[in-house]
Amino acid sequence: MRTSPALGRKLISVAAVSAALLAAPTAASAASPGGESAASAVPAAQTEAAPGTPAERLIVGYRSGAEEARSNRAAEADAAAKGEEAGEDVDFTRRLGTGAALVDLGSGLTGADVADVVAEYRADPQVAYVVPDRLNTAKADPNDTEYAKQWDLFEATAGMNVPAAWSTATGTGVTVAVIDTGYVAHTDLAANIVGGYDFIADTAVSVDGDGRDGNPADPGDYYAANECGSGVPASNSSWHGTHVAGTIAAVTNNGKGIAGIAHGAKISPLRVLGKCGGYDSDIIDAITWASGGTVSGVPANTNVAKVINMSLGGDGACTSATQSAINAAVSRGTTVAVAAGNENDNVANHSPGNCNNVISVAATSRTGAKASYSNYGSLVDISAPGGQTSTGTANGILSTLNSGTKTASTESYAYYQGTSMATPHIAGLVALMKSANSSLTPAQIETAIKSNARALPGACSGGCGAGLADAARTVQAVSGSGGSTGGTTFTSTTAVGIPDNGSAVESPIAVTGRTGNAPTALQVGVDITHTYRGDLVVDLVAPDGTAYRLKASSTSDSADNVVATYSVNASGEVANGTWKLRVQDVAAQDTGRLNSWKLTF
């Protein structure tokens, strides 16, 4: 919106708009018993543009039968008459789309002056309501003391554009299950914690002296050298689940600590990780219970989650047992976000990041490149800020923690890095989406996140999914106020052979019926069969011949095939025309085939 510096009007938060504005008193309440003047009975909320600042304009809604509701001339005459009665200069400015009249009071009025005018309108039986014209910002920075350090939420380069989503949704009404180490008490989280469960059955892992129970408190997961395997060094307690939970839903605008991405949501902590880790069997039961399924010996879940966060993982393929639990959770309407892993390896080798029916999340640094430790590959769905503390502690992800090295001590905040930190960014985003549109399915959620991602500002070799998640654009899309929910897709299914260490081949797609330029997050889906994909260089070629590098060659990427969706900022290109996918094998001994590819606008 645009404001005139000359008017000097105040910008205020949407949250500051009083509920009183939504139910203005009618003419019947204008007169006050006991001789009190009508003007003195006008509440301050009806006269102020911001606390302590008198309004300079009013919005007047007339009843449907009033002449002023239909005629600008009548509304203008009425404004002049009301101003004369109140001793002020009141001018009709224009008609709003709702039919209400906007009237200008000028500058320099006191609150009492404005109240005089408001009282005149309130006394008119033809006036349905009169309210101050408040200028609202789409968002306001929260007052949390550490918010300025949360670059991952708001920085233009590699932040996830979270604050701009808060005017649409904050996660209200959504429960997120954090399947992790449990929860250690923290006053910046406590108000958003609901009942969870301790699923650790093995007392050697649980540390708390018992098996499964309804108390998901984190007693600490420290261990001594060699306790978790020969040569494994000692480790302090991580309080990992609490750090994850803070990123998702730390209490916000409470004058302390950090802001949570979905600070209106609730966290259900489910404890599955203890000393030396946690077993698949406990994790499977936690997934089942979190999503509303039945687990023998465990009471029914009264806080069923529509989002599950699993910032955990192990080596190997996704087992049928784990996949079955995930599939069942998704069928119950719960979206599952998982960490891709921190081995700087192909996610195909690490579970549950390689499972189906999940949103697999890679981590990016503060520059927007793939974090050095993050796993990658065609099974990665999306990237989110995970931090890179090797370039400076403040380049990590700040969240809630505890200062105890073994058992709990005082609450604290600390910077961590990892795909464990990236994943709660996506879980928080899913909570915002479900809050904005409760009917969304897990499949629709994944599609919208990918469709509204923006191109990574930094490099990623091996595949980082659709790009860097953009919270505001995604939430706007699913709430119907902007963005893309999937768009129009153009596909080529004509197979093209890729010669070994040979010339580039191209596959065309003719795009028609679009207007203007391509989007800032043009989605390019690629399906290539190849026995050593590191040999391949893949480019998108725009109608004017401009090439956008989707994938570079890599001597260390020995995995098969390229099945991935890339996000390209093609906003400088006219949408209509012939787009091409160019693929070249730049090393010997392997051949391949481009099976199909698609563009989603």
Side-chain angles (χ1 to χ4, degrees):
M1 69 188 77
R2 184 179 65 185
T3 63
S4 170
L7 293 177
R9 301 188 192 278
K10 301 282 187 177
L11 294 180
I12 62 172
S13 167
V14 168
V17 178
S18 169
L21 299 184
L22 303 180
T26 61
S29 63
S32 176
E36 183 182 23
S37 71
S40 65
V42 175
Q46 298 288 304
T47 66
E48 295 179 338
T53 303
E56 296 178 0
R57 301 195 299 189
L58 299 174
I59 299 173
V60 181
Y62 291 97
R63 300 191 184 281
S64 58
E67 185 180 359
E68 293 87 351
R70 303 184 301 273
S71 166
N72 288 352
R73 179 172 296 181
E76 183 176 5
D78 190 47
K82 296 289 195 299
E84 185 175 353
E85 289 293 328
E88 305 295 343
D89 184 13
V90 181
D91 296 316
F92 170 81
T93 300
R94 62 184 171 88
R95 183 79 59 179
L96 303 188
T98 59
L102 181 65
V103 298
D104 198 305
L105 309 179
S107 58
L109 274 68
T110 66
D113 295 335
V114 177
D116 287 338
V117 178
V118 171
E120 291 296 329
Y121 276 108
R122 283 162 51 114
D124 186 342
Q126 297 302 315
V127 173
Y129 61 84
V130 54
V131 297
D133 184 21
R134 295 191 173 196
L135 278 168
N136 306 289
T137 59
K139 57 184 175 57
D141 285 350
N143 62 15
D144 305 80
T145 54
E146 304 300 308
Y147 174 71
K149 300 175 183 178
Q150 293 182 271
W151 61 267
D152 47 309
L153 302 192
F154 59 79
E155 279 192 355
T157 299
M160 217 174 76
N161 197 16
V162 173
W166 288 335
S167 59
T168 303
T170 61
T172 302
V174 180
T175 296
V176 182
V178 175
I179 299 179
D180 214 293
T181 63
Y183 165 67
V184 63
H186 202 294
T187 58
D188 209 10
L189 260 175
N192 284 340
I193 298 293
V194 296
Y197 207 81
D198 180 355
F199 279 92
I200 302 179
D202 190 327
T203 55
V205 176
S206 70
V207 183
D208 60 2
D210 56 28
R212 291 184 170 183
D213 58 42
N215 181 10
D218 185 350
D221 57 354
Y222 69 93
Y223 49 83
N226 302 311
E227 193 173 6
C228 294
S230 179
V232 177
S235 175
N236 291 333
S237 289
S238 67
W239 315 112
H240 189 273
T242 300
H243 196 281
V244 168
T247 296
I248 297 170
V251 179
T252 302
N253 270 323
N254 61 340
K256 66 172 293 181
I258 64 166
I261 290 172
H263 49 264
K266 300 300 182 184
I267 297 291
S268 175
L270 306 186
R271 188 166 180 254
V272 299
L273 301 179
K275 180 175 286 190
C276 305
Y279 288 102
D280 277 356
S281 54
D282 293 339
I283 294 169
I284 287 167
D285 278 353
I287 294 169
T288 302
W289 190 80
S291 58
T294 300
V295 176
S296 179
V298 180
N301 185 2
T302 57
N303 297 298
V304 174
K306 289 305 178 185
V307 192
I308 286 175
N309 186 103
M310 289 200 292
S311 291
L312 49 78
D315 296 340
C318 180
T319 67
S320 298
T322 297
Q323 188 65 67
S324 177
I326 290 170
N327 290 347
V330 171
S331 72
R332 287 188 282 268
T334 299
T335 300
V336 182
V338 302
N342 301 333
E343 293 79 19
N344 189 28
D345 185 25
N346 196 303
V347 69
N349 301 319
H350 304 275
S351 175
N354 57 7
C355 293
N356 295 322
N357 258 347
V358 301
I359 301 177
S360 185
V361 187
T364 52
S365 68
R366 196 169 183 173
T367 64
K370 183 187 84 68
S372 61
Y373 54 80
S374 178
N375 287 349
Y376 53 82
S378 61
L379 296 180
V380 169
D381 293 301
I382 196 69
S383 293
Q388 181 99 38
T389 56
S390 63
T391 61
T393 301
N395 292 334
I397 305 300
L398 185 68
S399 190
T400 45
L401 213 68
N402 191 279
S403 64
T405 57
K406 292 186 176 180
T407 58
S409 181
T410 56
E411 66 179 39
S412 64
Y413 301 86
Y415 291 98
Y416 274 6
Q417 67 171 21
T419 54
S420 282
M421 284 59 255
T423 306
H425 285 76
I426 299 303
L429 171 54
V430 175
L432 294 178
M433 297 167 70
K434 287 291 287 186
S435 179
N437 184 346
S438 61
S439 67
L440 292 171
T441 66
Q444 290 170 331
I445 285 170
E446 181 176 343
T447 296
I449 290 174
K450 291 179 176 180
S451 297
N452 292 285
R454 63 186 194 267
L456 290 185
C460 172
S461 176
C464 286
L468 180 63
D470 188 305
R473 194 167 187 268
T474 305
V475 171
Q476 288 165 1
V478 300
S479 65
S481 57
S484 169
T485 55
T488 302
T489 299
F490 299 85
T491 303
S492 172
T493 57
T494 302
V496 179
I498 305 170
D500 182 34
N501 196 21
S503 301
V505 296
E506 293 183 340
S507 173
I509 288 179
V511 174
T512 59
R514 307 296 299 173
T515 58
N517 286 7
T520 57
L522 176 63
Q523 303 298 293
V524 188
V526 178
D527 183 348
I528 296 174
T529 298
H530 198 278
T531 51
Y532 194 103
R533 67 169 175 233
D535 290 356
L536 298 179
V537 176
V538 183
D539 293 303
L540 174 68
V541 183
D544 68 356
T546 302
Y548 296 85
R549 179 60 46 89
L550 304 181
K551 178 193 175 299
S553 61
S554 172
T555 57
S556 62
D557 188 1
S558 61
D560 294 343
N561 309 329
V562 179
V563 182
T565 300
Y566 301 93
S567 182
V568 175
N569 183 353
S571 58
E573 306 290 343
V574 174
N576 286 337
T578 300
W579 296 74
K580 298 176 183 177
L581 191 73
R582 178 185 296 158
V583 185
Q584 184 173 14
D585 185 326
V586 297
Q589 299 182 345
D590 296 273
T591 60
R593 180 180 70 254
L594 170 59
N595 300 309
S596 64
W597 70 288
K598 61 184 178 181
L599 292 170
T600 301
F601 288 81

